[in-house]
Amino acid sequence: MEKSRPHVILSAAISIDGKIATRLGDSKLSSKKDKIRLHRLRSKVDAILVGKNTIHRDDPLLTVRYVKGKNPTRIILDSQGTIPVNSKILQTCNKVPTIIAVSKKISKVNLQKLKKFPVEIIMTGENSVNIKSLMNNLSKRKINTVLVEGGGTVNWQFIQNNLFDEILITITPFIIGGIDAITFVQGRGFDKIIKSPRLRLNTIKRLENYLVLHYTKV
Ligand SMILES: NC(=O)c1ccc[n+]([C@@H]2O[C@H](COP(=O)([O-])OP(=O)(O)OC[C@H]3O[C@@H](n4cnc5c(N)ncnc54)[C@H](OP(=O)(O)O)[C@@H]3O)[C@@H](O)[C@H]2O)c1
């Protein structure tokens, strides 16, 4: 029987107080060794997925650069198709397979803008992208592993909907602080600890001053 969704790994570099970016959006927390580890992981998955705020803030390439290996498909959750035409993602989509997941709320203008690029557009959900049906769609396309690289709002949706299997967290030697700084998991959050998914700590890897924690769901 076909699996209804891909295997999902959530990944982030966090400060010791659980933030993934400062209040101004500076998210340069990772180290060279951690980037090599992350890029090796990227080369082994079928797709990388991020939310549109991460594109607007960081303008990432989401490719494999620190090691040799294939680029996974890049998936952007962008309900209204607001990704800038000069973003690195759209500027490189002729070389790296790219999916823009949008909702039915997208304007005709933004849809036409996206259609000028060689990207796949998946439309699902009324107001924001329906990630359950998106995952189902990806399975049918033989995308069997997805690395979710944030940001915090996207992470919450995957956790709240129980759509993940593993978490890889790099604890970086920084303290960010501030209520306006983005945390690893945003959204409303759980009101009771009992509602949190149960996690098993599988491995702890020390990369100099950084710690990589690998959790799986119990
Ligand atoms: N340290 C790290 O490892 C790391 C990694 C990644 C990002 N970051 C940082 O995280 C920050 C961005 O995080 P963020 O929480 O503001 O935004 P985000 O998670 O990157 O993007 C959230 C946006 O994605 C869109 N989206 C569409 N469908 C969605 C769905 N079903 N579920 C969730 N989102 C959906 C929504 O906008 P629409 O409804 O308009 O589409 C939503 O506001 C940046 O500052 C970035 O630097 C850090």
Side-chain angles (χ1 to χ4, degrees):
M1 206 180 76
E2 197 170 37
K3 230 184 140 221
S4 64
R5 72 163 173 87
H7 187 85
V8 173
I9 306 165
L10 305 184
S11 164
I14 66 169
S15 60
I16 63 167
D17 54 329
K19 311 285 189 188
I20 58 171
T22 69
R23 70 190 148 83
L24 296 180
D26 183 0
S27 62
K28 289 180 181 53
L29 287 158
S30 208
S31 66
K32 177 93 185 278
K33 282 196 171 165
D34 193 49
K35 281 179 186 154
I36 292 170
R37 176 201 61 80
L38 176 65
H39 284 226
R40 192 167 293 124
L41 175 62
R42 281 183 179 178
S43 73
K44 290 179 187 154
V45 297
D46 298 322
I48 305 181
L49 181 150
V50 301
K52 76 119 201 273
N53 292 355
T54 296
I55 301 300
H56 285 266
R57 283 281 191 185
D58 300 350
D59 193 19
L61 257 176
L62 303 178
T63 55
V64 174
R65 301 184 302 283
Y66 288 83
V67 296
K68 280 198 178 132
K70 66 157 185 63
N71 286 321
T73 297
R74 304 173 301 186
I75 304 169
I76 316 301
L77 302 188
D78 187 8
S79 312
Q80 302 193 54
T82 62
I83 183 169
V85 291
N86 61 355
S87 62
K88 287 182 186 150
I89 294 287
L90 287 185
Q91 289 300 317
T92 55
C93 62
N94 56 342
K95 298 189 196 98
V96 187
T98 305
I99 294 174
I100 312 289
V102 302
S103 73
K104 291 176 190 163
K105 208 176 164 189
I106 188 171
S107 66
K108 277 187 186 153
V109 172
N110 282 351
L111 193 56
Q112 286 313 316
K113 170 190 84 179
L114 292 181
K115 282 183 176 168
K116 289 188 184 133
F117 290 90
V119 294
E120 282 231 45
I121 300 166
I122 298 179
M123 191 181 290
T124 172
E126 297 298 324
N127 294 314
S128 70
V129 177
N130 181 327
I131 51 173
K132 277 188 193 163
S133 99
L134 174 67
M135 291 296 117
N136 197 267
N137 186 317
L138 296 178
S139 267
K140 292 188 179 127
R141 291 164 192 257
K142 306 285 178 234
I143 290 183
N144 295 320
T145 43
V146 176
L147 184 63
V148 175
E149 288 197 33
T153 307
V154 164
N155 291 340
W156 166 245
Q157 287 300 326
F158 276 85
I159 291 169
Q160 186 192 26
N161 290 292
N162 198 19
L163 289 173
F164 74 99
D165 303 283
E166 300 179 47
I167 300 182
L168 270 162
I169 292 285
T170 299
I171 301 181
T172 71
F174 301 105
I175 300 167
I176 291 178
I179 52 169
D180 294 326
I182 306 275
T183 63
F184 170 52
V185 183
Q186 292 279 112
R188 186 130 198 262
F190 296 113
D191 55 0
K192 300 265 184 200
I193 303 292
I194 199 166
K195 291 184 186 166
S196 157
R198 298 295 164 93
L199 303 171
R200 175 183 293 118
L201 178 59
N202 283 327
T203 59
I204 306 171
K205 188 175 174 182
R206 184 173 178 162
L207 294 177
E208 292 167 344
N209 220 2
Y210 291 65
L211 269 187
V212 185
L213 308 182
H214 177 228
Y215 293 92
T216 46
K217 261 195 333 214
V218 176

